[in-house]
Amino acid sequence: MSSVALAATADWTEAEQRQLEALARQYPASSHSIVAQCAKIAAGLPNKSIRDVGARLRAIALDPLAASTTPTPAGDARHEALERQASALLQDNVEVVSAMRENLQKIKMLDNLPLMQKFSDNVNATFDLLSQLDAQLPPFPVEVNTMFLTGAGLDAA
């Protein structure tokens, strides 16, 4: 077990673990998105956040997205490559958001414009990668407001 998994398992009481397992059966991943599942489970665990629940589910392999011990068929190598690329883009966006947060704290709002464009480009590239998968993906429920990326909102400032 990795150090991340150990950290995720270290601070759970037996009662919390039993409650987590009961709630995981009540809100199965087959009926809920992973975010919805973690949110609903966290609501039943007053001392745990959604992130705590997600990390715990992954660590104890109740999460269907957790790494499997079964070998990957050769046909899934393409999917794994796409997943690695998408993961890299999403990790890049985590760093972009962190830089944007720092700029906001330093009141350097205009420095965020190129970062917002990079964020948008990464999101679009991620969607392009996901569209290459054979699976049917649900529609993305959020539309990104790009008004400031084009400079349209700067005239009022």
Side-chain angles (χ1 to χ4, degrees), residues 85-99 115 118-119 121-122:
Q85 290 174 311
S87 181
L89 288 166
L90 294 173
Q91 182 58 43
D92 190 33
N93 270 357
V94 168
E95 294 166 13
V96 167
V97 168
S98 179
L115 294 172
K118 184 174 184 178
F119 185 91
D121 292 345
N122 285 348

Side-chain angles (χ1 to χ4, degrees), residues 34-101:
I34 190 68
V35 174
Q37 180 192 33
C38 291
K40 289 179 180 193
I41 292 171
L45 293 162
N47 296 325
K48 299 297 178 186
S49 69
I50 295 171
R51 184 178 298 209
D52 294 334
V53 169
R56 183 65 173 180
L57 290 175
R58 187 169 295 265
I60 63 174
L62 287 177
D63 176 1
L65 300 176
S68 136
T69 57
T70 58
T72 304
D76 287 342
R78 184 173 135 272
H79 287 252
E80 285 183 2
L82 292 172
E83 182 179 341
R84 280 192 303 275
Q85 290 174 311
S87 181
L89 288 166
L90 294 173
Q91 182 58 43
D92 190 33
N93 270 357
V94 168
E95 294 166 13
V96 167
V97 168
S98 179
M100 289 170 58
R101 182 180 302 126

